Protein backbone atom coordinates (compact mmCIF):
# COMPACT_ATOMS: atom_id res chain seq x y z
CA UNK A 1 0.00 0.00 0.00
CA UNK A 2 1.40 3.39 -1.03
CA UNK A 3 1.44 6.44 1.27
CA UNK A 4 -1.41 7.98 -0.72
CA UNK A 5 -3.48 4.82 -0.41
CA UNK A 6 -2.71 4.59 3.29
CA UNK A 7 -3.89 8.16 3.85
CA UNK A 8 -7.05 7.46 1.86
CA UNK A 9 -7.76 4.40 4.01
CA UNK A 10 -7.16 6.48 7.15
CA UNK A 11 -9.55 9.24 6.01
CA UNK A 12 -12.27 6.75 5.11
CA UNK A 13 -12.04 5.11 8.53
CA UNK A 14 -12.13 8.54 10.20
CA UNK A 15 -15.23 9.57 8.27
CA UNK A 16 -17.00 6.33 9.08
CA UNK A 17 -16.14 6.65 12.76
CA UNK A 18 -17.22 10.28 13.18
CA UNK A 19 -20.46 9.91 11.22
CA UNK A 20 -21.37 6.80 13.15
CA UNK A 21 -20.62 8.53 16.46
CA UNK A 22 -22.68 11.68 15.80
CA UNK A 23 -25.35 10.34 13.41
CA UNK A 24 -25.50 10.76 9.64
CA UNK A 25 -28.83 12.56 9.86
CA UNK A 26 -27.18 15.43 11.77
CA UNK A 27 -24.58 16.33 9.11
CA UNK A 28 -24.42 18.45 5.98
CA UNK A 29 -21.51 19.18 3.64
CA UNK A 30 -20.58 22.78 2.82
CA UNK A 31 -20.36 22.52 -0.95
CA UNK A 32 -18.87 25.44 -2.87
CA UNK A 33 -18.41 23.64 -6.18
CA UNK A 34 -14.67 24.17 -5.89
CA UNK A 35 -12.00 21.50 -6.04
CA UNK A 36 -11.69 20.93 -2.28
CA UNK A 37 -15.41 20.56 -1.62
CA UNK A 38 -15.80 18.32 -4.69
CA UNK A 39 -13.03 16.04 -3.42
CA UNK A 40 -14.59 16.11 0.05
CA UNK A 41 -17.97 15.07 -1.33
CA UNK A 42 -16.43 12.20 -3.32
CA UNK A 43 -14.42 11.07 -0.31
CA UNK A 44 -17.52 10.95 1.88
CA UNK A 45 -19.32 8.91 -0.79
CA UNK A 46 -16.41 6.51 -0.94
CA UNK A 47 -16.41 6.09 2.84
CA UNK A 48 -20.20 5.95 3.16
CA UNK A 49 -21.79 4.48 0.00
CA UNK A 50 -25.42 5.48 -0.36
CA UNK A 51 -25.26 8.30 2.22
CA UNK A 52 -27.97 10.96 2.18
CA UNK A 53 -25.89 13.82 3.57
CA UNK A 54 -26.96 17.12 1.92
CA UNK A 55 -24.45 19.14 -0.09
CA UNK A 56 -25.35 22.78 0.67
CA UNK A 57 -24.35 25.48 -1.83
CA UNK A 58 -24.86 29.19 -1.13
CA UNK A 59 -25.58 30.91 -4.44
CA UNK A 60 -24.55 34.45 -3.54
CA UNK A 61 -24.42 35.72 -7.13
CA UNK A 62 -20.67 36.36 -6.99
CA UNK A 63 -19.39 32.85 -7.63
CA UNK A 64 -17.62 32.32 -10.92
CA UNK A 65 -20.22 31.39 -13.53
CA UNK A 66 -18.51 28.11 -14.36
CA UNK A 67 -18.53 27.10 -10.70
CA UNK A 68 -22.19 28.03 -10.32
CA UNK A 69 -23.13 26.11 -13.47
CA UNK A 70 -21.13 23.10 -12.27
CA UNK A 71 -23.16 22.99 -9.06
CA UNK A 72 -26.49 23.41 -10.83
CA UNK A 73 -25.55 20.58 -13.21
CA UNK A 74 -24.69 18.40 -10.22
CA UNK A 75 -28.10 19.11 -8.72
CA UNK A 76 -29.84 17.73 -11.84
CA UNK A 77 -28.51 14.24 -11.08
CA UNK A 78 -28.10 14.42 -7.30
CA UNK A 79 -30.99 15.49 -5.10
CA UNK A 80 -28.58 15.83 -2.18
CA UNK A 81 -27.31 19.09 -3.70
CA UNK A 82 -29.22 21.88 -1.98
CA UNK A 83 -29.00 25.43 -3.36
CA UNK A 84 -29.84 28.32 -1.08
CA UNK A 85 -29.71 32.06 -1.65
CA UNK A 86 -29.16 35.04 0.65
CA UNK A 87 -32.17 37.10 1.64
CA UNK A 88 -30.48 40.38 0.70
CA UNK A 89 -28.83 41.31 -2.65
CA UNK A 90 -25.08 41.80 -2.42
CA UNK A 91 -25.06 45.47 -3.46
CA UNK A 92 -27.70 46.33 -0.87
CA UNK A 93 -25.86 44.31 1.77
CA UNK A 94 -22.53 46.02 1.06
CA UNK A 95 -24.07 49.48 1.20
CA UNK A 96 -25.72 48.64 4.51
CA UNK A 97 -22.93 46.70 6.26
CA UNK A 98 -19.78 48.00 4.58
CA UNK A 99 -17.21 46.74 2.06
CA UNK A 100 -14.39 44.24 2.66
CA UNK A 101 -10.96 45.88 2.60
CA UNK A 102 -7.48 44.30 2.78
CA UNK A 103 -8.36 41.38 5.10
CA UNK A 104 -11.02 40.19 7.50
CA UNK A 105 -8.92 41.25 10.48
CA UNK A 106 -8.32 44.74 9.10
CA UNK A 107 -12.00 45.11 8.20
CA UNK A 108 -13.05 44.09 11.71
CA UNK A 109 -10.90 46.80 13.28
CA UNK A 110 -12.01 49.50 10.86
CA UNK A 111 -15.64 48.55 11.51
CA UNK A 112 -15.02 48.88 15.25
CA UNK A 113 -13.42 52.28 14.72
CA UNK A 114 -16.29 53.45 12.54
CA UNK A 115 -18.72 52.31 15.23
CA UNK A 116 -17.05 53.59 18.42
CA UNK A 117 -13.92 55.45 17.40
CA UNK A 118 -10.82 54.63 19.45
CA UNK A 119 -12.85 53.29 22.36
CA UNK A 120 -11.71 49.71 21.71
CA UNK A 121 -8.26 48.91 23.12
CA UNK A 122 -7.79 46.33 20.34
CA UNK A 123 -8.22 49.06 17.73
CA UNK A 124 -5.67 51.29 19.45
CA UNK A 125 -3.24 48.37 19.57
CA UNK A 126 -3.85 47.51 15.91
CA UNK A 127 -2.89 51.00 14.77
CA UNK A 128 0.10 51.07 17.12
CA UNK A 129 -0.82 53.79 19.57
CA UNK A 130 -0.67 51.46 22.58
CA UNK A 131 0.15 47.88 23.54
CA UNK A 132 -2.29 45.08 24.13
CA UNK A 133 -3.26 43.97 27.64
CA UNK A 134 -0.34 41.53 27.64
CA UNK A 135 2.08 44.41 27.26
CA UNK A 136 3.18 43.21 23.83
CA UNK A 137 2.26 44.68 20.45
CA UNK A 138 -0.06 42.73 18.19
CA UNK A 139 1.64 40.22 15.94
CA UNK A 140 0.07 41.96 12.96
CA UNK A 141 -0.51 45.68 13.01
CA UNK A 142 -2.10 47.96 10.47
CA UNK A 143 0.21 48.92 7.58
CA UNK A 144 1.17 52.57 7.82
CA UNK A 145 -0.35 53.32 4.42
CA UNK A 146 -3.77 52.20 5.67
CA UNK A 147 -3.81 53.97 9.03
CA UNK A 148 -5.67 56.90 7.47
CA UNK A 149 -8.72 54.62 7.63
CA UNK A 150 -8.74 55.20 11.37
CA UNK A 151 -9.21 58.93 10.85
CA UNK A 152 -11.86 61.19 9.35
CA UNK A 153 -9.97 61.04 6.05
CA UNK A 154 -11.58 57.69 5.28
CA UNK A 155 -15.14 57.94 3.93
CA UNK A 156 -15.53 54.32 2.79
CA UNK A 157 -17.78 52.16 4.99
CA UNK A 158 -15.82 48.99 5.77
CA UNK A 159 -16.90 45.68 7.30
CA UNK A 160 -16.04 41.97 7.36
CA UNK A 161 -19.73 40.94 7.21
CA UNK A 162 -19.82 39.94 3.52
CA UNK A 163 -19.32 36.17 3.98
CA UNK A 164 -21.48 36.18 7.11
CA UNK A 165 -24.48 37.76 5.43
CA UNK A 166 -24.22 36.03 2.05
CA UNK A 167 -23.14 32.55 3.13
CA UNK A 168 -22.98 31.78 6.83
CA UNK A 169 -26.32 33.18 7.93
CA UNK A 170 -28.34 31.65 5.03
CA UNK A 171 -26.66 28.27 5.65
CA UNK A 172 -27.35 28.49 9.39
CA UNK A 173 -30.99 29.33 8.70
CA UNK A 174 -31.29 26.28 6.43
CA UNK A 175 -29.58 24.07 9.03
CA UNK A 176 -31.93 25.28 11.77
CA UNK A 177 -34.94 24.56 9.57
CA UNK A 178 -33.69 21.05 8.72
CA UNK A 179 -32.18 20.10 12.09
CA UNK A 180 -28.61 19.83 10.79
CA UNK A 181 -26.14 20.21 13.64
CA UNK A 182 -22.69 19.64 12.15
CA UNK A 183 -20.94 20.80 9.00
CA UNK A 184 -18.44 18.74 7.03
CA UNK A 185 -15.95 21.25 5.68
CA UNK A 186 -13.11 20.93 3.14
CA UNK A 187 -10.35 22.77 5.02
CA UNK A 188 -6.65 21.89 4.65
CA UNK A 189 -3.92 22.97 7.07
CA UNK A 190 -1.53 23.19 4.14
CA UNK A 191 -3.35 26.31 2.95
CA UNK A 192 -1.82 28.17 5.90
CA UNK A 193 -3.08 31.33 7.54
CA UNK A 194 -5.84 30.80 10.07
CA UNK A 195 -6.22 27.22 8.81
CA UNK A 196 -2.71 26.21 9.91
CA UNK A 197 -3.93 25.09 13.32
CA UNK A 198 -7.23 23.59 12.13
CA UNK A 199 -8.27 20.32 13.73
CA UNK A 200 -10.18 17.42 12.26
CA UNK A 201 -12.96 18.00 14.77
CA UNK A 202 -13.81 21.63 15.58
CA UNK A 203 -15.66 22.29 18.83
CA UNK A 204 -17.36 25.23 20.52
CA UNK A 205 -16.82 24.36 24.15
CA UNK A 206 -17.65 20.68 24.27
CA UNK A 207 -20.10 20.81 21.39
CA UNK A 208 -19.02 19.66 17.93
CA UNK A 209 -19.30 22.40 15.29
CA UNK A 210 -17.52 21.12 12.20
CA UNK A 211 -15.89 17.94 10.93
CA UNK A 212 -12.88 18.68 8.69
CA UNK A 213 -11.54 15.38 7.32
CA UNK A 214 -9.21 17.02 4.77
CA UNK A 215 -7.10 18.93 7.30
CA UNK A 216 -4.24 16.43 7.14
CA UNK A 217 -4.14 15.93 3.37
CA UNK A 218 -2.02 17.93 0.93
CA UNK A 219 -2.74 19.47 -2.45
CA UNK A 220 -0.47 16.81 -3.91
CA UNK A 221 -2.63 14.08 -2.35
CA UNK A 222 -5.75 15.83 -3.60
CA UNK A 223 -4.44 15.77 -7.19
CA UNK A 224 -3.57 12.08 -6.81
CA UNK A 225 -7.08 11.32 -5.55
CA UNK A 226 -8.72 13.24 -8.42
CA UNK A 227 -6.73 11.43 -11.10
CA UNK A 228 -6.71 8.03 -9.42
CA UNK A 229 -10.49 7.95 -9.09
CA UNK A 230 -11.44 10.16 -12.04
CA UNK A 231 -13.24 12.70 -9.87
CA UNK A 232 -15.39 15.09 -11.87
CA UNK A 233 -14.21 18.60 -10.99
CA UNK A 234 -15.20 21.91 -12.55
CA UNK A 235 -13.50 22.58 -15.89
CA UNK A 236 -12.30 25.95 -14.64
CA UNK A 237 -9.41 24.12 -12.94
CA UNK A 238 -8.32 22.65 -16.29
CA UNK A 239 -6.65 24.09 -19.39
CA UNK A 240 -6.92 26.69 -20.74
CA UNK A 241 -8.24 28.35 -17.57
CA UNK A 242 -6.08 26.61 -14.93
CA UNK A 243 -7.64 28.47 -12.00
CA UNK A 244 -6.20 27.62 -8.61
CA UNK A 245 -8.59 29.77 -6.54
CA UNK A 246 -12.33 29.96 -7.15
CA UNK A 247 -13.81 31.89 -4.25
CA UNK A 248 -16.02 34.93 -4.69
CA UNK A 249 -14.92 36.60 -7.90
CA UNK A 250 -13.00 39.79 -7.53
CA UNK A 251 -13.01 39.59 -3.72
CA UNK A 252 -11.04 42.57 -2.34
CA UNK A 253 -9.47 40.25 0.25
CA UNK A 254 -7.56 38.41 -2.52
CA UNK A 255 -3.81 38.98 -2.19
CA UNK A 256 -3.31 38.55 -5.95
CA UNK A 257 -6.36 40.58 -6.92
CA UNK A 258 -4.76 42.27 -9.94
CA UNK A 259 -3.68 38.92 -11.38
CA UNK A 260 -7.16 37.48 -10.79
CA UNK A 261 -8.80 40.39 -12.58
CA UNK A 262 -6.36 40.04 -15.47
CA UNK A 263 -7.31 36.38 -15.81
CA UNK A 264 -11.01 37.23 -15.74
CA UNK A 265 -10.42 39.87 -18.41
CA UNK A 266 -8.78 37.24 -20.61
CA UNK A 267 -11.38 34.50 -20.29
CA UNK A 268 -14.51 36.07 -18.82
CA UNK A 269 -14.58 39.82 -19.59
CA UNK A 270 -18.24 40.18 -18.63
CA UNK A 271 -17.51 38.74 -15.19
CA UNK A 272 -14.59 41.15 -14.88
CA UNK A 273 -17.03 44.00 -15.53
CA UNK A 274 -19.35 42.56 -12.90
CA UNK A 275 -16.50 42.69 -10.38
CA UNK A 276 -15.86 46.34 -11.20
CA UNK A 277 -19.53 47.16 -10.57
CA UNK A 278 -19.91 45.17 -7.33
CA UNK A 279 -16.64 46.22 -5.71
CA UNK A 280 -16.28 49.64 -7.32
CA UNK A 281 -15.84 51.72 -4.11
CA UNK A 282 -13.07 49.40 -2.85
CA UNK A 283 -11.35 49.13 -6.23
CA UNK A 284 -11.41 52.92 -6.58
CA UNK A 285 -9.74 53.28 -3.18
CA UNK A 286 -7.18 50.56 -3.92
CA UNK A 287 -6.21 52.37 -7.12
CA UNK A 288 -6.18 55.78 -5.48
CA UNK A 289 -3.63 54.68 -2.87
CA UNK A 290 -1.78 52.23 -5.15
CA UNK A 291 -2.69 49.14 -3.16
CA UNK A 292 -3.24 45.73 -4.85
CA UNK A 293 -4.53 47.29 -8.07
CA UNK A 294 -2.71 49.28 -10.72
CA UNK A 295 -3.39 53.01 -10.78
CA UNK A 296 -3.95 53.09 -14.53
CA UNK A 297 -6.62 50.38 -14.62
CA UNK A 298 -9.72 51.52 -16.48
CA UNK A 299 -12.99 51.44 -14.58
CA UNK A 300 -16.53 50.56 -15.56
Amino acid sequence: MTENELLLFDRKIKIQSVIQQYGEENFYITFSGGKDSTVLSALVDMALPGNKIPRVFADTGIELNMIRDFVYDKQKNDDRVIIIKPTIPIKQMLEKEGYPFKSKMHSVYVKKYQTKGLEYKSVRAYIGIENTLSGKPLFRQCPKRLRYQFTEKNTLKISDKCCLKLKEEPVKKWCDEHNKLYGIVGIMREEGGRRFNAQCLSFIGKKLKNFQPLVVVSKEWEEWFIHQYNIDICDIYKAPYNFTRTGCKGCPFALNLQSELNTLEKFFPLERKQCEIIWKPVYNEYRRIGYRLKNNESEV
Side-chain angles (χ1 to χ4, degrees):
M1 183 178 289
T2 66
E3 289 186 11
N4 285 335
E5 291 170 336
L6 185 61
L7 183 54
L8 173 58
F9 177 77
D10 172 77
R11 293 298 84 193
K12 288 166 62 177
I13 294 298
K14 186 65 176 181
I15 291 170
Q16 292 165 0
S17 173
V18 171
I19 301 301
Q20 181 179 14
Q21 180 180 355
Y22 290 94
E24 179 183 315
E25 69 279 4
N26 294 317
F27 283 91
Y28 70 97
I29 294 174
T30 58
F31 189 66
S32 68
K35 185 184 291 187
D36 295 347
S37 68
T38 301
V39 165
L40 174 62
S41 178
L43 183 58
V44 171
D45 279 344
M46 191 176 293
L48 302 169
N51 74 83
K52 301 297 183 182
I53 300 174
R55 277 66 172 164
V56 182
F57 172 74
D59 184 1
T60 65
I62 51 175
E63 290 78 26
L64 291 161
N65 290 356
M66 286 185 70
I67 289 287
R68 181 202 62 208
D69 294 345
F70 175 77
V71 175
Y72 275 81
D73 285 342
K74 286 284 187 185
Q75 188 189 47
K76 293 176 183 177
N77 300 309
D78 189 344
D79 60 8
R80 299 173 304 175
V81 177
I82 307 296
I83 297 174
I84 60 176
K85 296 189 177 184
T87 57
I88 183 171
I90 182 170
K91 190 173 187 299
Q92 183 180 342
M93 185 279 300
L94 291 170
E95 291 173 351
K96 178 182 178 181
E97 299 289 342
Y99 287 81
F101 200 101
K102 184 186 181 294
S103 67
K104 287 190 177 182
M105 183 176 74
H106 178 83
S107 298
V108 165
Y109 288 127
V110 177
K111 178 69 172 180
K112 286 184 175 181
Y113 172 78
Q114 292 179 336
T115 303
K116 292 190 176 182
L118 295 174
E119 181 176 326
Y120 289 103
K121 188 174 181 68
S122 59
V123 172
R124 299 197 300 272
Y126 180 62
I127 60 178
I129 62 177
E130 71 171 66
N131 290 334
T132 62
L133 292 174
S134 65
K136 298 179 181 179
L138 288 177
F139 176 69
R140 293 181 181 178
Q141 289 188 319
C142 180
K144 290 183 179 180
R145 65 159 64 179
L146 298 183
R147 292 185 183 179
Y148 76 94
Q149 293 188 333
F150 296 87
T151 71
E152 294 180 354
K153 292 181 180 179
N154 176 49
T155 58
L156 178 63
K157 193 174 184 180
I158 294 175
S159 169
D160 68 319
K161 302 296 184 184
C162 191
C163 287
L164 175 69
K165 296 296 181 180
L166 296 180
K167 296 180 181 179
E168 295 175 26
E169 287 187 355
V171 169
K172 184 180 185 305
K173 181 175 182 293
W174 181 89
C175 288
D176 290 343
E177 292 171 350
H178 294 83
N179 298 314
K180 300 300 177 184
L181 304 177
Y182 318 120
I184 307 178
V185 186
I187 287 176
M188 297 181 186
R189 288 180 193 148
E190 187 182 83
E191 293 175 327
R194 294 187 302 170
R195 299 183 175 190
F196 181 76
N197 294 316
Q199 301 298 314
C200 190
L201 295 175
S202 172
F203 293 87
I204 296 181
K206 294 183 179 181
K207 182 180 179 181
L208 179 67
K209 179 185 178 182
N210 290 325
F211 174 34
Q212 301 164 166
L214 297 185
V215 290
V216 297
V217 310
S218 64
K219 291 295 183 180
E220 182 180 357
W221 182 92
E222 183 179 61
E223 291 300 324
W224 169 84
F225 180 77
I226 290 169
H227 293 291
Q228 182 72 17
Y229 294 96
N230 195 29
I231 305 301
D232 179 31
I233 62 172
C234 182
D235 287 341
I236 202 166
Y237 293 102
K238 306 172 186 177
Y241 313 108
N242 297 316
F243 273 64
T244 58
R245 176 193 172 276
T246 56
C248 297
K249 53 189 167 189
C251 176
F253 286 158
L255 295 176
N256 298 313
L257 179 58
Q258 184 66 64
S259 176
E260 179 179 326
L261 292 179
N262 291 344
T263 302
L264 286 176
E265 181 67 32
K266 179 179 180 180
F267 294 109
F268 313 111
L270 292 180
E271 292 187 68
R272 162 65 187 269
K273 290 182 180 180
Q274 183 187 11
C275 293
E276 294 285 348
I277 294 171
I278 293 172
W279 309 113
K280 181 176 177 128
V282 184
Y283 286 5
N284 284 350
E285 190 66 1
Y286 277 179
R287 290 176 178 129
R288 185 186 73 82
I289 64 176
Y291 185 77
R292 288 192 180 166
L293 293 180
K294 295 179 180 177
N295 290 316
N296 61 354
E297 282 287 300
S298 62
E299 301 172 13
V300 175

